[in-house]
Amino acid sequence: MRSSLAPAIRLMQSVSRDSWYRGFIVVMTFLFYTCYHLSRKPISIIKGQLHRNCSALPNPPNISENDTTWCSWAPFENSDYKELLGSLDTAFLVSYAIGMFFSGIFGERLPLRYYLSGGMIICGLFTCFMGLGYYWNIHALWYYILFQILNGLVQTTGWPSVVTCMGNWFGKGKRGFIMGIWNSHTAVGNILGSLIAGAFVSTAWGLSFIVPGIIIAVFGIFCFFFLVEYPEDVGCTPPQQPEEAKDDLENIPVSNNSTDTIFKSTESNADDSGNSHVEVEHPEAISFFGALRIPGVVEFSLCLLFAKLVSYTFLYWLPLYIANDAHFDAKAAGDLSTLFDVGGIIGGILAGAISDYTGKSAITCTIMLILTAPMLFIYYHFGQAGVSTTIAMLIVCGILVNGPYSLITTAVSADLGTHESLQGNAKALSTVTAIIDGSGSIGAALGPSLAGVLSSRGWDYVFYMLIAADICACLLLARLVYKEIKTLCGGVRKSYTEI
């Protein structure tokens, strides 16, 4: 008597071929963008190591007892170290913001597998060069600024690429809750980057860059060998495809030349005898100004500018703030700062779920932004009262700060990408996402730069700046909130009339 199939095998057989491929794409894009954030996090962890309080350490024999900067890394040993560290952040974030507006355009017109894998490998190389400055004993500020600029430009290959890939495979099926879970790659990357960098920061901070650089480069090679841009290229059903067309699509041979499928809007697949099977149509790119005309793009882009200003100021300066204000060492401060990213994961999922339930993205973002302002004030005045208080407040701040940021960059972009003027064009979603995230990146560049200047006068100025930015983000959504409230009131009034 034949034995029955093992339960795990039966489970594998119950999942369709399309579902396996789509699940594979979700996991791959999640890991790829996790690597991007993992590689950009070390700079915030090593700040406390570049300028240290040397008075608590025993002086070497050849160092004067009055020298309190001997253990710092030149040129960050002097009192202007915060401005110099801020210049590193500015170099990365300004180049990232500028590059993002062009990256979405390039990502739509170049072979995605080459574009993404090449970007990851080069990003890993530039990240390693930052760490090699430790081993080569480089103390020139221009060296670190140069590779921050180059890394910022290459980092822009990530977000439009993974969004485009997800759009090609899932089309209009993306919702707030699912995208909130998927977007946790940002926080997961920050957490892993903090932990990896923190493991080496006190002994050899060069490895804090080199290890993440190697990781993203290895995943870039993996991307080159395994990424599939279009479901049609492997005979899977494209998004929104009628179920009865699936049998025809399974007869499509796998394309051996991905470049042809990128640059041609329509492609005919033929067998050896020259008989045409199915004509596969790939969407064409939307123009930059055409994407700007989509209702809501400008408002959410400007809102994200201020929301990302707050988020990235925490990303780049929180470890140093914890080290200075709560007197933790660099490793402990880096580990504590990961709690902000843990809250960010919860906030992204929560914001997406609320937006799904209510259908009101602008109202969801505004409520969380309104709650953020008093929470920032409370954290600054009471956040370092004790370890348990610090942990709780960091998680709450992460929820409120990163919730709107996550919702706008994922579910809101997906909603705008399904606007009737786009006709479901997934490639248009790449341009829309690049505009929204590029605008947010301007805020991401301004926040840490201003924090570098203001922190030298006192951390209270930094937190007042964050509160002001949060209020601006709320005000920029006022028109969309008003429209959603009118829609909500109209629905209530209609229901009341029917009763």
Side-chain angles (χ1 to χ4, degrees):
M1 182 177 180
R2 289 184 60 188
S3 61
S4 60
L5 285 174
I9 301 300
R10 291 202 303 270
L11 178 63
M12 291 173 64
Q13 290 183 338
S14 66
V15 179
S16 67
R17 184 171 180 270
D18 279 12
S19 297
W20 277 116
Y21 268 106
R22 281 177 166 80
F24 181 61
I25 293 297
V26 169
V27 173
M28 284 180 63
T29 53
F30 182 95
L31 292 175
F32 293 159
Y33 207 68
T34 295
C35 290
Y36 274 95
H37 266 263
L38 180 148
S39 66
R40 72 177 67 164
K41 182 65 177 178
I43 188 66
S44 67
I45 302 300
I46 69 159
K47 284 179 178 177
Q49 193 71 13
L50 295 179
H51 184 91
R52 301 172 63 189
N53 182 7
C54 306
S55 59
L57 301 175
N59 283 36
N62 59 335
I63 299 296
S64 170
E65 293 183 1
N66 296 326
D67 187 356
T68 59
T69 62
W70 63 268
C71 64
S72 298
W73 186 268
F76 306 102
E77 77 277 17
N78 298 320
S79 58
D80 62 345
Y81 73 98
K82 289 182 179 179
E83 288 85 349
L84 296 182
L85 291 173
S87 68
L88 295 181
D89 298 337
T90 303
F92 176 89
L93 293 168
V94 169
S95 62
Y96 183 87
I98 295 172
M100 182 58 73
F101 288 103
F102 298 97
S103 182
I105 298 173
F106 293 146
E108 291 175 355
R109 292 162 174 82
L110 296 175
L112 185 61
R113 180 167 60 89
Y114 299 153
Y115 187 62
L116 183 57
S117 60
M120 295 177 74
I121 293 171
I122 297 173
C123 177
L125 180 65
F126 290 155
T127 303
C128 288
F129 270 108
M130 287 289 291
L132 289 174
Y134 172 83
Y135 292 99
W136 293 343
N137 202 30
I138 296 176
H139 296 276
L141 181 63
W142 67 264
Y143 175 88
Y144 300 100
I145 288 181
L146 173 63
F147 282 103
Q148 282 288 86
I149 292 173
L150 295 175
N151 203 6
L153 290 172
V154 177
Q155 284 264 348
T156 61
T157 59
W159 186 241
S161 298
V162 295
V163 169
T164 299
C165 191
M166 288 286 287
N168 290 341
W169 279 86
F170 294 91
K172 297 182 180 181
K174 298 180 288 294
R175 296 296 296 165
F177 180 72
I178 299 299
M179 292 297 286
I181 296 174
W182 179 74
N183 194 57
S184 64
H185 49 48
T186 299
V188 171
N190 291 339
I191 292 171
L192 291 177
S194 298
L195 296 176
I196 293 172
F200 305 103
V201 66
S202 299
T203 53
W205 60 259
L207 289 175
S208 297
F209 288 99
I210 293 174
V211 173
I214 293 173
I215 291 174
I216 189 173
V218 169
F219 273 91
I221 296 171
F222 183 83
C223 172
F224 178 82
F225 282 103
F226 291 98
L227 183 67
V228 181
E229 181 177 357
Y230 291 101
E232 302 96 313
D233 294 339
V234 289
C236 290
T237 308
Q240 313 301 322
Q241 182 77 13
E243 190 67 27
E244 56 269 17
K246 184 176 180 180
D247 294 336
D248 293 332
L249 285 164
E250 288 177 348
N251 295 323
I252 301 176
V254 178
S255 174
N256 293 322
N257 189 345
S258 61
T259 305
D260 292 340
T261 66
I262 299 295
F263 288 101
K264 295 179 181 179
S265 59
T266 304
E267 176 184 342
S268 179
N269 292 282
D271 56 21
D272 294 335
S273 62
N275 296 323
S276 178
H277 289 302
V278 178
E279 193 174 72
V280 179
E281 184 176 336
H282 296 328
E284 296 182 356
I286 191 175
S287 69
F288 181 86
F289 292 102
L292 282 178
R293 288 195 293 268
I294 300 171
V297 167
V298 173
E299 288 91 340
F300 277 113
S301 296
L302 294 176
C303 174
L304 186 64
L305 187 152
F306 289 99
K308 206 166 181 179
L309 183 153
V310 178
S311 179
Y312 267 63
T313 301
F314 270 92
L315 175 67
Y316 281 90
W317 287 94
L318 182 59
L320 183 62
Y321 170 71
I322 294 174
N324 287 355
D325 200 59
H327 307 293
F328 286 98
D329 60 34
K331 183 181 185 307
D335 292 343
L336 271 176
S337 69
T338 61
L339 295 171
F340 179 81
D341 296 302
V342 171
I345 296 175
I346 300 171
I349 297 173
L350 182 63
I354 295 173
S355 177
D356 281 350
Y357 181 76
T358 61
K360 311 297 179 186
S361 299
I363 293 177
T364 302
C365 290
T366 301
I367 291 175
M368 298 187 80
L369 289 168
I370 290 173
L371 294 175
T372 300
M375 191 62 218
L376 291 174
F377 182 83
I378 293 171
Y379 173 68
Y380 172 66
H381 286 281
F382 306 104
Q384 310 303 334
V387 176
S388 59
T389 304
T390 301
I391 292 173
M393 289 192 177
L394 281 175
I395 293 175
V396 174
C397 285
I399 292 172
L400 296 177
V401 170
N402 286 336
Y405 163 33
S406 173
L407 183 62
I408 293 173
T409 55
T410 54
V412 169
S413 295
D415 290 341
L416 295 174
T418 60
H419 192 268
E420 58 183 7
S421 63
L422 298 180
Q423 300 178 349
N425 188 347
K427 281 201 168 186
L429 181 56
S430 177
T431 300
V432 170
T433 303
I435 291 173
I436 292 176
D437 198 55
S439 301
S441 298
I442 296 174
L446 287 174
S449 303
L450 291 173
V453 176
L454 296 175
S455 60
S456 61
R457 302 180 181 180
W459 287 105
D460 52 340
Y461 288 96
V462 176
F463 278 87
Y464 293 149
M465 175 196 71
L466 298 179
I467 293 171
D470 180 77
I471 294 172
C472 290
C474 288
L475 294 176
L476 286 165
L477 290 182
R479 188 181 72 87
L480 297 178
V481 169
Y482 176 72
K483 290 177 64 176
E484 289 185 355
I485 291 176
K486 282 185 64 177
T487 303
L488 192 62
C489 292
V492 173
R493 191 180 300 110
K494 182 179 179 181
S495 300
Y496 180 78
T497 304
E498 290 176 351
I499 292 175

